Amino acid sequence: MIDTLSLYNSDTTDPYENLAREEYLTFHAELGECILFLWQNAHTVVIGRNQNCWKECRVSELEADGGRLARRLSGGGAVYHDLGNVNFTFCTHKKNADVQKQLAVIVDAVASFGLDARRTGRNDVTVDGRKFSGNAFFDSGGYYYHHGTLLLNVDMARMSRFLNPSTAKLHSNGVASVRSRVVNLASLCPEITVSSMKEAMVRSFSGIYGLPVAAFDESRFDAAEIARLRDRLASREWKYGRNIPFTNRLAGRFAWGEVELALKVNRGIVEEALLSSDAMEAEWFDQAGVWLAGCPYEAGALCNVLERGMEERGVPEEVRENLCAMVREQM
């Protein structure tokens, strides 16, 4: 049961620092506490935990333009952040998580400006069918966060320039480009600014939970630990992941997300493997490369290994069946 509401409003636009603070807040939320973390990143593409950055983002172009690539702990797809975007995170214990209530905070905040927001699809919040908020989730060891974006006045030209979604993903949404399926809230209501939206989020946070909101006590931060987390999140290994010289590629798109299995095969044996996905559940596939190393390059053998690993991870049967059907059909 939530009995304490805390607010932390970040004072930095460094994506690695913000993601480090987010991780720290998540694993240090007290029992019965829900922390609302409000933050902004300058000129950044943030990808999901299991995504292939080179497919989702024009990385070289982004970095040449002074932008930064970041990878988060949660699953889901790539998003573009600039100072026309406000990010939110609800940090709490898993047993106190309530997605409907958390989303109600967003919907209520937007409604205070006279706009009718609605949850659609896997993880989007829209106005008039156009997305202004994408959401993702993470939990580990009983700790949990739900975070997302609020597009207020984002540079849509830059968003389209640096994000590189698959054609299949766009077709599944019935649109032709990134820009055509998103909307800036300020274009619908000029009263919406970064400061006014943050204020509305705090009011709605208090109103939906029926509790007062207190400022997060920054003395609870461990600066050395946050610095360590930032170093990991800013490292090349974490940001870019492995870029294996694959010889075989299998790919598919399903109701739960898009997936690509890249394999380096030598003499009929899988030497390296990388399973990339925008599935919301980050833990489903993060060990697939370990599972498949040394496996014979045969559909039955690959499916047996994947099935066993995913079942141990609690992956739903439908997802397991979809992935194994993709392997069998494309080999």
Side-chain angles (χ1 to χ4, degrees):
M1 177 179 170
I2 299 293
D3 56 25
T4 302
L5 302 183
S6 300
L7 170 70
Y8 180 62
N9 193 359
S10 179
D11 59 0
T12 181
T13 59
D14 174 358
Y16 312 119
E17 179 74 18
N18 277 325
L19 290 169
R21 292 181 186 183
E22 177 182 65
E23 186 172 344
Y24 187 91
L25 289 169
T26 299
F27 286 98
H28 291 81
E30 295 177 350
L31 195 61
E33 179 182 33
C34 185
I35 303 169
L36 175 59
F37 174 37
L38 298 176
W39 46 293
Q40 291 183 283
N41 291 332
H43 196 14
T44 302
V45 170
V46 184
I47 60 173
R49 174 67 178 268
N50 296 317
Q51 288 192 294
N52 180 335
C53 67
W54 309 105
K55 288 197 64 181
E56 301 297 329
C57 169
R58 297 180 179 90
V59 178
S60 298
E61 193 172 341
L62 172 71
E63 294 178 338
D65 194 58
R68 287 174 288 190
L69 176 76
R71 183 185 299 272
R72 59 184 186 266
L73 292 176
S74 63
V79 290
Y80 178 71
H81 291 175
D82 65 17
L83 298 185
N85 178 79
V86 172
N87 305 302
F88 62 85
T89 310
F90 297 98
C91 306
T92 190
H93 285 243
K94 173 66 174 177
K95 67 179 183 180
N96 291 325
D98 187 332
V99 176
Q100 295 305 320
K101 186 173 283 190
Q102 291 147 203
L103 287 171
V105 173
I106 302 163
V107 170
D108 185 72
V110 174
S112 70
F113 294 98
L115 300 176
D116 181 19
R118 302 188 180 188
R119 181 184 181 183
T120 61
R122 291 188 304 157
N123 63 330
D124 296 342
V125 188
T126 63
V127 171
D128 296 331
R130 299 178 71 188
K131 174 180 173 179
F132 69 87
S133 178
N135 294 247
F137 310 87
F138 168 81
D139 67 87
S140 177
Y143 294 92
Y144 164 98
Y145 75 53
H146 161 196
H147 64 184
T149 57
L150 296 171
L151 303 184
L152 308 185
N153 193 24
V154 172
D155 187 329
M156 295 293 188
R158 276 189 161 185
M159 176 186 289
S160 296
R161 177 182 170 191
F162 299 119
L163 292 184
N164 190 37
S166 70
T167 302
K169 183 180 292 186
L170 291 173
H171 286 171
S172 74
N173 286 285
V175 296
S177 70
V178 179
R179 292 175 68 178
S180 66
R181 65 181 293 253
V182 297
V183 66
N184 275 318
L185 292 179
S187 70
L188 305 177
C189 177
E191 296 175 19
I192 296 178
T193 63
V194 168
S195 60
S196 68
M197 180 54 73
K198 284 184 175 182
E199 290 170 2
M201 284 288 288
V202 176
R203 284 196 303 270
S204 295
F205 186 41
S206 177
I208 294 296
Y209 282 86
L211 295 166
V213 179
F216 180 83
D217 183 357
E218 295 191 45
S219 68
R220 293 169 60 184
F221 279 133
D222 181 331
E225 175 65 8
I226 291 175
R228 184 190 69 78
L229 293 172
R230 187 195 180 283
D231 286 345
R232 173 173 60 81
L233 293 164
S235 69
R236 291 186 61 85
E237 180 182 9
W238 176 262
K239 288 190 300 182
Y240 303 126
R242 292 189 302 143
N243 189 19
I244 70 173
F246 68 87
T247 56
N248 302 70
R249 175 182 173 273
L250 314 174
R253 180 162 184 81
F254 307 99
W256 46 267
E258 196 166 27
V259 65
E260 177 182 279
L261 178 59
L263 302 164
K264 180 184 178 183
V265 181
N266 185 20
R267 297 183 179 181
I269 299 296
V270 176
E271 291 188 342
E272 293 184 80
L274 179 64
L275 199 157
S276 304
S277 177
D278 66 353
M280 295 300 296
E281 291 72 13
E283 72 283 358
W284 278 358
F285 308 129
D286 60 352
Q287 293 298 307
V290 176
W291 302 338
L292 292 170
C295 179
Y297 184 64
E298 300 168 358
L302 290 175
C303 286
N304 286 340
V305 171
L306 287 170
E307 177 72 29
R308 185 166 59 249
M310 290 189 292
E311 189 171 13
E312 290 176 356
R313 289 264 167 146
V315 178
E317 183 177 0
E318 177 190 3
V319 177
R320 304 199 308 265
E321 290 178 350
N322 288 162
L323 195 56
C324 288
M326 179 191 80
V327 171
R328 291 190 180 96
E329 290 168 3
Q330 297 183 29
M331 284 184 65

